[in-house]
Structures are given as structure tokens and as C-alpha cells.
């Protein structure tokens, strides 16, 4: 059984599990709080502040949120660097507001703890420590360098120095304590999740090996008597043909091959034997294997393999096959007659494009495809055509997650028109899913250690 990639369970990859819209939503909440605080300070307490600069700082955050909302898809997953950039922006924007509103004399100065706590939960140790140290440095600078809070009578609002130092110490302690606390809890949860997943994979592996052992044992039992008969008969023939060299050698060969069959059955029965030949396969073979369960469902699946003259072999990972199988299943479910699966390979990338002639994706959900439990209201015609179908939900989420963990980038779109001029009755007007891998991620020739050829016992003779 091919072992699942450790990338699926690696806790260090949780920084890639945060969606952009999560940060957008949290930032909108922070922006609303900042605007309310400024309005209360201006009209409620009549404080003398540089309101133009304050509202400019809030405006920069608003512009950043609007750009992120309209430029990127709703379900975009942020990378480590992108998460770091988002949290760094929040810290710098908040510290700039504190500089304009009294520094650590401002009771809202404790809010700088929040971005660092989030960083400790989702970023690597290096990034989290870097952000925490930068925040401590900025808070320390705010001790001395800030614009004081003034009332409309130009009375300066400030706390005694001992309380000011206490605020600084409390913020620094809270930064590191909350960070360690958050990271410890998240790491514990990740460890438990990894242990559960590893247990399930081990049970699945054992079940497959047990089933294989049962089949081999049954085969050995059934073949035992014929092999013993062949061996006994060949031995008797050898005794009778001692004087006839050619016939004697034939009888000896029969006995030798019977012994070889016995040895093969014994070697196949070894518990935990790993068939390393199944760890890689030609790209076209993997694609067709993924589509095989849906070939007899009444829809014609057409394979177009471009630029595959060199027959590249890719890693035959379960997550790749299962992810592609889910995408093809979705295309077959929604298509009318045809499903096209196109594969292309260049020196830099390997891509798979799945298209159908169905109605396509709902336009109002195109940005959320791949999220779990996405539902849409179906028409009566749709209900009659596929009764009980639950829509684009957990299946596409699993496919998207598995393929992204294998290093792929996935895009969803609706197509129109014909792909080739000679396509008279096969218009690609349905949904289009494109999966693109960097070639270094899945090419077996570039991942010899993953294929394990050096450990193959067949190469050690």
C-alpha cells in the first residue's frame, strides 16, 4: 500500500489553512472599533488629536480590505509569507494609531497582543518570534515617542511613570504568555489530530495487508496440492529418465519451476510487503485510473493527452488519484453527454483540465467552490434529473484539499464555445476545473527518494 504523504499531516503547514476572508472579516471588526473609538474621543470627550492622520490610518486599512475582497477569490488560502504580511500590517497600523493617541497612556494599547497571539497559533516559530520581537520593540519606542493625549483645554492626559512602566511590562508579558499559551494549545490539538489520522491510516493499511494475506493464503492452499503432485511426478520421471539426458533435463526443469512457484507464494505471503512498482505510473495511466469508476455511467469521457510523447511518470499518490476522481465524478454528475479530460506537460508544470457540457457552476457560488457544505437551491428540473444530489459540498472540498496538499493549484470557471474548430457537436459550455502541479512536485524522475527505488529489494540482487 502506498503510504500517504506526510504533508497532509504536517503541523507546520497549518499556516496554509487560514482563508483570506477570515482576516478580512476580523479586520472589518477592528476597523469598526477604531472608528467608534475615534468618534467617541472627538465628540464625546472632545480630545485634541490629529484626527486627519488617525482617519488616514483607518482608511489605509479599509483600502487594503477592499483590494483583498475584490482582487482575490473568497476561499483563497494564505501562505506563510502572506499571513505574516497581514499580521505585520495590523501591528504597524495599530502602533501608528497609538503613536497619534498617547502611546502606552492609551488604554487600548493592550490590543497589540492580539495579532501576536494569532501569529503564534498559525505561523512557524521563526515568524511568530520575529513578529513578537518587533512588537516589543515598537511598544518600547512608544514609551518615549508619542503624541500626548490632550483635552479641549489642552490638559495632557497621562498616567504616572510607575503605571506607565507597569503597562509596558504587562504588555510584554502578555505578548509572550499569550503566544506560548496559544501555540501550546494549537500544537496539542494538532498532535491529537495527527495521531488519530495516523491510527486510521495504520488500520487501513493493516486491513489491506490482512485481505491480501488471506487471498495469498487461499491461493497457496489451493495450489499446494497441484504443485506437490507436479513435484512428485517430476521426481519419478527423473528417476526413470536418468539415461536420457534431454528428457531428464526437462523433468528437472519442471521440478525446479514447481519449487519456484512455492517460493513465490511464500514471498507474497510475507506480512507488510510493499509493492514499490505501484508508487509511480505514467501520467495518462493515473488519469485514466482516476476516471475508471465513472466510465460506465452513461456519459462519454474523452481523454486528450497533449505533449505526452515522452511519457512522463508521476508519483502515484492516493491523494492525487482520489482528488481527480472526485472532480471527474462531479463533471459526470452534471454533464449531459460528454466529459473531456485534457492533460498537458511542459518542462515546468503538469496540468489536468476537466470539462463537461453541463449547466456549469452557479455564478453566485463561483468564488466559494471548494468550501465544505456549500449548498444552492435547485430547480425542479435539476431535482428530477439528479434526485437526492446534495450539490457542490464536501466532495469538492475533499478533492481541492487533497490536490492542494500534493502541491497543485486549482481553478474553477465556466466555459463557453468550442475548444477546437473540428468540434461540431461537442461544445464545452459547462464547468471547467484546471489542476496544475509544478513538475518538481509530482514527477517521479525528480522524486527518486519518494519512489524508493534505492530501497527496492528487486534491485539489490
Amino acid at each position: 500500500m502506498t503510504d500517504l504523504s506526510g504533508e497532509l499531516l504536517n503541523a507546520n503547514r497549518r499556516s496554509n489553512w487560514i482563508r483570506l476572508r477570515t482576516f478580512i472579516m476580523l479586520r472589518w471588526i477592528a476597523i469598526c472599533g477604531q472608528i467608534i473609538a475615534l468618534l467617541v474621543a472627538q465628540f464625546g470627550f472632545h480630545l485634541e488629536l490629529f484626527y486627519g492622520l488617525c482617519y488616514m490610518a483607518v482608511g489605509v486599512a479599509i483600502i487594503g480590505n477592499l483590494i483583498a475582497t475584490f482582487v482575490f477569490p473568497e476561499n483563497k488560502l494564505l501562505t506563510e509569507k502572506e499571513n505574516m504580511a497581514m499580521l505585520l500590517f495590523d501591528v504597524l497600523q495599530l502602533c501608528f494609531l497609538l503613536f497619534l493617541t498617547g502611546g502606552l497612556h492609551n488604554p487600548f494599547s493592550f490590543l497589540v497582543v492580539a495579532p501576536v497571539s494569532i501569529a503564534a497559533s498559525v505561523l512557524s516559530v521563526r515568524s511568530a518570534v520575529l513578529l513578537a520581537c518587533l512588537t516589543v520593540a515598537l511598544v518600547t519606542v512608544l514609551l518615549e515617542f508619542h503624541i500626548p493625549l490632550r483635552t479641549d483645554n489642552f490638559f495632557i492626559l497621562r498616567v504616572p511613570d510607575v503605571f506607565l512602566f507597569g503597562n509596558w511590562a504587562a504588555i510584554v508579558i502578555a505578548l509572550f504568555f499569550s503566544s506560548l499559551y496559544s501555540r501550546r494549545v494549537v500544537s496539542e490539538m494538532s498532535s491529537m489530530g495527527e495521531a488519530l489520522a495516523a491510527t486510521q491510516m495504520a488500520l487501513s493499511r493493516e486491513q489491506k495487508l490482512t485481505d491480501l494475506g488471506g487471498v495469498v493464503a487461499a491461493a497457496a492452499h489451493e495450489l499446494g496440492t497441484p504443485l506437490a503432485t507436479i513435484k512428485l511426478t517430476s521426481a519419478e520421471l527423473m528417476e526413470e529418465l536418468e539415461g536420457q539426458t534431454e528428457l531428464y533435463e526437462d523433468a528437472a526443469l519442471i521440478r525446479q519451476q514447481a519449487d519456484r512457484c512455492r517460493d513465490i507464494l511464500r514471498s507474497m505471503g510475507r506480512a507488510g510487503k510493499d509493492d514499490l512498482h505501484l508508487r509511480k505510473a505514467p501520467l495518462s495511466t493515473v488519469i485514466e485510473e482516476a476516471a475508471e469508476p465513472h466510465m460506465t455511467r452513461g456519459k462519454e469521457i474523452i481523454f486528450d493527452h497533449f505533449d505526452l510523447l515522452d511519457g512522463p511518470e508521476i508519483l502515484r499518490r492516493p491523494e492525487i488519484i482520489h482528488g481527480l476522481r472526485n472532480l471527474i465524478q462531479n463533471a459526470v454528475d452534471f454533464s449531459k453527454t460528454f466529459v473531456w479530460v485534457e492533460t498537458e506537460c511542459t518542462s515546468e508544470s503538469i496540468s489536468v483540465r476537466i470539462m463537461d457540457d453541463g449547466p456549469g457552476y452557479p455564478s453566485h457560488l463561483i468564488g466559494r467552490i471548494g468550501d465544505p457544505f456549500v449548498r444552492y437551491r435547485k430547480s425542479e428540473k435539476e431535482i428530477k434529473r439528479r434526485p437526492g444530489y446534495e450539490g457542490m459540498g464536501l466532495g469538492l472540498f475533499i478533492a481541492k484539499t487533497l490536490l492542494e496538499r500534493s502541491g497543485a493549484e486549482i481553478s474553477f470557471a465556466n466555459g463557453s464555445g468550442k475548444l477546437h474548430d473540428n468540434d461540431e457537436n461537442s461544445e464545452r459550455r459547462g464547468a471547467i476545473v484546471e489542476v496544475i502541479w509544478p513538475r518538481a512536485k509530482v514527477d517521479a524522475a525528480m522524486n527518486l527518494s519518494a519512489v524508493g527505488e534505492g530501497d527496492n529489494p528487486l534491485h539489490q540482487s
Side-chain angles (χ1 to χ4, degrees), residues 193-211:
E194 291 172 21
L196 177 61
T199 301
Q200 292 173 340
M201 286 192 295
L203 290 175
S204 176
R205 179 184 176 87
E206 285 299 321
Q207 182 63 45
K208 288 184 178 294
L209 290 175
T210 300
D211 294 343

Side-chain angles (χ1 to χ4, degrees), residues 64-78:
N65 252 17
L66 292 176
I67 293 175
T69 300
F70 291 106
V71 173
F72 300 100
E74 293 181 24
N75 60 351
K76 174 179 172 58
L77 296 178
L78 299 179

Side-chain angles (χ1 to χ4, degrees), residues 149-182:
L149 288 171
R150 299 176 185 271
T151 65
D152 54 348
N153 296 324
F154 296 98
F155 178 79
I156 297 178
L157 299 176
R158 57 174 297 160
V159 297
D161 291 341
V162 63
F163 285 103
L164 185 64
F165 177 79
N167 287 343
W168 175 85
I171 291 174
V172 173
I173 293 173
L175 282 172
F176 289 101
F177 177 79
S178 64
S179 299
L180 291 174
Y181 186 90
S182 300

Side-chain angles (χ1 to χ4, degrees), residues 362-374:
S363 57
H364 65 285
L365 291 178
I366 197 78
R368 297 184 59 193
I369 295 175
D371 285 356
F373 310 116
V374 173

Side-chain angles (χ1 to χ4, degrees), residues 131-329:
L131 186 64
C133 293
L134 178 61
T135 304
V136 171
L138 292 174
V139 170
T140 304
V141 170
L142 290 175
L143 274 173
E144 295 293 334
F145 301 97
H146 57 267
I147 298 175
L149 288 171
R150 299 176 185 271
T151 65
D152 54 348
N153 296 324
F154 296 98
F155 178 79
I156 297 178
L157 299 176
R158 57 174 297 160
V159 297
D161 291 341
V162 63
F163 285 103
L164 185 64
F165 177 79
N167 287 343
W168 175 85
I171 291 174
V172 173
I173 293 173
L175 282 172
F176 289 101
F177 177 79
S178 64
S179 299
L180 291 174
Y181 186 90
S182 300
R183 190 166 193 87
R184 179 64 180 175
V185 171
V186 172
S187 298
E188 196 73 24
M189 294 174 61
S190 299
S191 299
M192 292 297 294
E194 291 172 21
L196 177 61
T199 301
Q200 292 173 340
M201 286 192 295
L203 290 175
S204 176
R205 179 184 176 87
E206 285 299 321
Q207 182 63 45
K208 288 184 178 294
L209 290 175
T210 300
D211 294 343
L212 178 61
V215 173
V216 174
H221 176 74
E222 295 295 331
L223 294 175
T225 301
L227 287 175
T229 302
I230 293 172
K231 186 176 180 180
L232 178 62
T233 304
S234 61
E236 293 176 353
L237 288 173
M238 290 173 63
E239 292 178 358
E240 296 178 3
L241 300 173
E242 287 185 355
Q244 305 179 39
T245 306
E246 294 182 359
L247 295 178
Y248 181 87
E249 291 177 354
D250 291 339
L253 179 61
I254 293 174
R255 179 170 182 171
Q256 179 184 0
Q257 294 302 312
D259 290 335
R260 184 182 177 189
C261 290
R262 179 199 60 195
D263 295 336
I264 290 174
L265 288 174
R266 287 179 179 176
S267 65
M268 290 177 62
R270 289 200 305 261
K273 181 179 180 182
D274 191 4
D275 189 358
L276 297 177
H277 290 294
L278 298 179
R279 291 190 176 183
K280 63 178 181 178
L283 174 60
S284 58
T285 301
V286 174
I287 302 299
E288 293 171 7
E289 179 183 354
E292 191 272 335
H294 309 291
M295 298 287 288
T296 58
R297 294 182 55 194
K299 309 294 176 64
E300 183 177 353
I301 302 179
I302 302 173
F303 298 94
D304 292 329
H305 302 302
F306 303 111
D307 301 327
L308 297 183
L309 297 179
D310 56 345
E313 289 190 330
I314 67 170
L315 299 178
R316 189 180 172 277
R317 293 179 177 175
E319 56 265 36
I320 294 178
I321 296 176
H322 188 73
L324 292 175
R325 183 169 295 163
N326 277 12
L327 295 179
I328 294 173
Q329 176 187 355

